[in-house]
Amino acid sequence: MVGDAALPRILTDPGYAAIYQALLTETSRLGPFEVRYRKSAVQLVRPDGAGFAAVAPGSDGLTLTVVVDTVLTSPRLSAALPVSGEAWNQRATIGAVSEVDDDVLDWLAAAYPRT
């Protein structure tokens, strides 16, 4: 974890750290997952090894990326980017703990059971 750039940037900013903790708490409601530390993001991974979300520090908050089977519709989400023939990446910037709401839980829930 020492050489990872994303996690220290998240944890040294009290606002980002609170958002990150709220995201982990909400994600834990979906089922078991593992956290993998990458240079540019913290990846959330299902027990089968598939990544379903990532959290990265940005200039205006944390960027949440979800990997989904179908394109989600929300003004808070970016345009869908194809990852493969069957998966899409969509991103949202979360600037406050209050923004970790039912919408975010719905996005995570859509990403978690991806096959």
Side-chain angles (χ1 to χ4, degrees), residues 27-28 30-36 43-53 111-114:
T27 302
S28 70
L30 302 174
F33 68 97
E34 176 184 328
V35 176
R36 292 190 184 159
Q43 186 179 27
L44 308 181
V45 180
R46 292 190 323 245
D48 66 1
F52 65 94
Y112 185 83
R114 192 173 54 83

Side-chain angles (χ1 to χ4, degrees), residues 1-10 36-43 55-57:
M1 190 164 30
V2 173
D4 299 316
L7 188 63
R9 284 189 58 206
I10 292 170
R36 292 190 184 159
Y37 304 101
R38 303 289 187 236
K39 190 171 189 176
S40 62
V42 176
Q43 186 179 27
V55 180

